[in-house]
Amino acid sequence: MSIDYSKIGLKVGLEIHQQLDTSEKLFCSCTPQLFKDEPEITFLRRLRPTQSELGQIDPAAFFEFQKGIRILYEANKETVCLVEMDEEPPHDLNMEAVETSLVVALMLDGNPVDEIHVMRKTVIDGSNTTGFQRTCVIALKGDVKVDGKRVPIQHVSLEEDAARKIDEKGSVIRYRIDRLGIPLIEIATAPVLYSPKEAEKAALAIGRILRATGRVKRGLGTIRQDLNVSIPDGALVEIKGVQELELVSKAIELEVQRQLNLLKIRDELKKREVTAKSIKEKYEDVTSIFEKTKCRVVQKAISDGKQVLAVLLPKFAGLLKTELMPGVRLGTEMANRAHFWGRVGGIFHTDELPAYGITDGEVRELRELVKAESEDAVVFVADNLENATDALRAVVERARETLLGVPEETRGANPDGTTRYMRPRPGAARMYPETDVPPIRINEEYVHKLRDHLPELPKRKMKRLMKEYKLNEKLASQVLNSEYALLFEEVASESAVSPTTIAAVLTETMKALRRDGVELDKIRNEQIEELFSFVGAGKTAKEAIPDILTWLSKHERASVKAATESLGLTMLSEAEIAKIIIDLLQENAQLVKERGKAAFGMLMGLVMRKVRGRANAEMVNKVLRRKLEEFVRKS
Amino acid sequence: MSEEFPGYKGEALKLLKKAKAEIGDIVRVIKNGETFEGILIPRSEYGDEKHIVIKLRSGYNIGICITLTTQIEKVGVGVKPTFAASLLPEQRPDLPKVTIISTGGTIASRVDYRTGGVRPALSASDLYSVVPELSEIARIDAEILFSLFSENITAKHWAEIAKTTARHIEDGVAGVVIAHGTDTLGYTAAALSFALQNLPVPVIMVASQRSADRPSSDAATNLIGAVKAAAKAPFAEVVVAMHETVSDKAIVFHRGTKVRKCHTSRRDTFQSINASPLAKMENEKFFILVKDFNKRDSSRNLVLKPIFDEKVALVKFSPSLDPQLIDWYVSKDFKGVVLEGTGLGHVGGYCFSAVKNAIYNGVLVAMTSQCIWGRVNMNVYNQGRDLLASGVIPLEDMLPETALVKLMWVFGQTSDVDEAKRLMLTNIAHEISPRSLHEGIREEKP
């Protein structure tokens, strides 16, 4: 589908979040790292929405509280202290993180503030043990250039990363708080990006600047993009947590597609003359129909003493199965809402039935019982009365919103670029001062000093990479976009391996390995440097690099020497190669006899298959040529 | 500093006055060609006089440094927050009556997100609106007695709190809740334990370790636990109601004479020392954790003894302590000195003559231990036996803080030193445990 985005009036704003590579967390001295093992500490909390002076409470937050949601936090001793547990006030703001943020801000031509004030931004989903996220503006204004266009930066701020959600069972949400407190820089652009591609390029340009500092974390989950997407007839939708750059444009394309499809549904409903009033909050107990159902989900609910509750959506037939984006139908949106407000596992609707063990007969009975005509749709859920009612109330609300078009909401990004409902868009940011952290003065002298020593800007670096290292444009650009941009130059200036090879390994090979599930974050820079010095010195072949990297990722802190030995990838001596070749010539004596020196190409392939990673091709070539001549001569 | 411009002084204050801008107004600051617009925010008292703080439209605060050419204009009048209290829940006549007395420390508050101010909620209607669950538990009557940081509370305030509590109990409430800052809560709890005897209903002291403005605050949970206990608990003693662990799971009730603040910041800072807590509440149920306690009985008549004599001191012995410190108390007509000795109850030999001199001058000298856990025993070592022979009173396993409060209270009841000695060793409010049990010293809870 080709869409003219400027015609639609698409507007996108970006918020790029990147973890900084500091030695400590933002407000305490814990190691800014995640842990994998079983937690050493767990504790249970509830978060109570605090009332503002105006008596307002965030409705979604208050609802969750009333539902008795509890949060189980998991921690270990290495990465968590009392500060993350909200059992001790924050320590001073981490000045290493402030400095990195200032460097980024200055590279974006922003204005550092004179005095930093740490704020508490109310967040009540449990991702922060305090119930708020600590955040502060470091600089205002600035810009980033995208294809010659100036994209204004609204602010550069520094905040604590949130806890990681592990799962949600019943009314208990589990979070791991190792990530809580890792310094996170946020860069927000103005909403002036008018196409998905442009937004992606802006994200890329900001990402390059972040990496140019050499002080940001790398690996999956260390950078997250939030997208504010709106089209004039649709709504402003916030998409949270796009983890890969490649997904930025796709997520925007899909969101536009979703909004356009919702508008089509709205128009169709208008044609069908459906009004908000005609969608009634009438929930009927239809348990009796399903008493002998073959559908296991419903069967289980009924045997647990729960009921089946149904609601009629007038003239909605066929619309619930309308696809909004791949895998997401209007019915999915309703199911997401029902899950959020009613904590139900899912909903059933007549557009997708009979299925899941529910028979045609049961559907017919259901329609009869709720007095549904053929143009109507029926939605039902099986849960306890309270959850089922909340779920259907959310379905009705979502159905009514369909009449208006696109609801404003916050959506979470899925790994394939589609999105799912997360929560209603929060009202105006509820921020108030973090009085436990004193304001920090940024003096001009310090800023001047930082400005005089800024890292090289990506554009200039690109030119230099092409000139100094003779990289082609594609490779130079890949290096800039890679997390190893700084490492490349360190290796290239010392190693005997050609810069082109190094660049290809650090970009293409790394990317391929990551795709194969190799945990590259486990490999330290020093190991990579050692690897290239090995290859450069002829101690191992460059063909062996992927295997060695994979091995290193599984053996933290091991040496490259250990890797080559363990993998049997130490280089063969000339004599050893000669022996392999002689054996091979004898095995293939017939072939050599028939084709003479013309057998070289085929033999070369055979030898290389045997010695790959343990010999360099030039040497094999030389020895084979000599031995083949001798062999032909003798025979 | 200025009242209308909290925190502002010097240059910044002059500029703000010139612009006629008040806190909460929208101001525009022009500096070196840059323009900033936002709401004028109060400044920290300890900030310098060169910055003004504004809240940007994004919600963030920033500080702007004033230079010679900085201009400030007022561009809009701030909307004063008018708190529209939600409708008060209906008072259920069948519920017990509970009085909440505030002495300071914020158990409930609201945030003014516009200026960042945090305002305490103290009246009954405030409390209902911030912690609506209370209306399901009791009919609340709230009295604001003081608004003091707990480190500013003295023996005079103990007397006031005791009398106010007695008045409400005599009015027939089902229980009294006293909100108090955590720092000296243990002392006040001990004081009330001695001043309010023969209690018919419980007196529950409550506090919080995390400020009430934050969603994670322990304030509401503790308050709800305290009000429930005041309304329904089976015991009638002075207790401190706080978190049992760092989880929001159980509220534990510590006896006023055995409780101590043991951590600067954790939610479970209060611990019962050398004793089990009296009770705990989990999943709406009370669990009594001791064998012997004073049962709730509304027919019992309260005995009020609210007099404390402040001429009593607590002296912590430490190496090289100058014995003249003890002499000074004697010269200032102090009636009693509680020593916080080392180990089983010792002070250095170089303090002996000062101790003997104090006793000779009619000062009651008593011994507790700075170990916190355990009982003093002055018979084990020579130094202890010497002190004992001089007339130092060993106070068993009494907390040093409780011993100080008790001695103040004892001299409020009698001026006779021998009677005072007798009272110090008489167990009045569970301040002395006859047996030292294995549990008690802080263990990791599973």
Side-chain angles (χ1 to χ4, degrees), chain A residues 44-46 48 50-53 86-87 111 114-115 120 122 129-130 135 137 141 431-432 441, chain B residues 31 34 43 51 55 60 63 65 83 111 119 133 210 213-216 246-248 265-267:
Chain A
L44 198 70
R45 291 274 169 78
R46 295 195 69 190
R48 165 179 289 264
T50 42
Q51 205 174 41
S52 82
E53 191 63 24
D86 188 40
E87 288 290 346
N111 299 334
D114 298 333
E115 201 178 53
R120 299 169 169 177
T122 306
T129 48
T130 46
T135 172
V137 165
K141 302 192 177 163
M431 279 204 248
Y432 67 111
R441 203 165 161 208
Chain B
K31 182 192 157 184
E34 290 287 335
R43 180 157 176 77
H51 290 75
K55 187 185 192 73
Y60 283 100
C65 187
F83 175 63
V111 181
R119 287 158 211 247
E133 295 95 320
R210 289 286 90 72
D213 57 272
R214 59 174 79 200
S216 62
V246 298
S247 288
D248 288 330
S265 59
R266 278 171 63 151
R267 284 167 173 75

Side-chain angles (χ1 to χ4, degrees), chain A residues 42-55 62 65 82 85-89 111 113-117 119-124 129-132 134-137 140-141 155 157 159 186 429-434 436 439 441 444, chain B residues 31 34-36 43-44 48 50-51 53 55-56 58-65 81-84 86 109-113 115-116 118-119 129-133 210-217 220 224 246-249 263 265-268:
Chain A
T42 58
F43 55 101
L44 198 70
R45 291 274 169 78
R46 295 195 69 190
L47 288 178
R48 165 179 289 264
T50 42
Q51 205 174 41
S52 82
E53 191 63 24
L54 299 170
F62 191 65
F65 177 75
L82 291 185
M85 292 173 73
D86 188 40
E87 288 290 346
E88 181 176 292
N111 299 334
V113 299
D114 298 333
E115 201 178 53
I116 298 170
H117 285 250
M119 307 295 288
R120 299 169 169 177
K121 188 198 264 175
T122 306
V123 178
I124 205 162
T129 48
T130 46
F132 50 72
R134 297 189 181 97
T135 172
C136 53
V137 165
L140 297 168
K141 302 192 177 163
H155 63 243
S157 50
E159 54 194 35
E186 180 191 281
R430 295 154 68 83
M431 279 204 248
Y432 67 111
E434 169 53 274
D436 297 342
R441 203 165 161 208
E444 277 178 48
Chain B
K31 182 192 157 184
E34 290 287 335
T35 307
F36 304 89
R43 180 157 176 77
S44 154
D48 64 17
K50 291 214 174 70
H51 290 75
V53 186
K55 187 185 192 73
L56 303 172
S58 59
Y60 283 100
N61 290 5
I62 59 165
I64 304 167
C65 187
T82 44
F83 175 63
S86 42
S109 62
R110 273 194 296 271
V111 181
D112 177 2
Y113 286 104
T115 61
V118 175
R119 287 158 211 247
S129 96
V130 177
V131 190
E133 295 95 320
R210 289 286 90 72
S211 60
D213 57 272
R214 59 174 79 200
S216 62
S217 173
I224 291 167
V246 298
S247 288
D248 288 330
K249 262 162 110 180
H263 196 279
S265 59
R266 278 171 63 151
R267 284 167 173 75
D268 55 356

Side-chain angles (χ1 to χ4, degrees), chain A residues 82-100:
Chain A
L82 291 185
V83 172
E84 292 95 329
M85 292 173 73
D86 188 40
E87 288 290 346
E88 181 176 292
H91 302 183
D92 287 343
L93 186 59
N94 179 338
M95 290 310 285
E96 186 190 357
V98 171
E99 185 167 301
T100 305

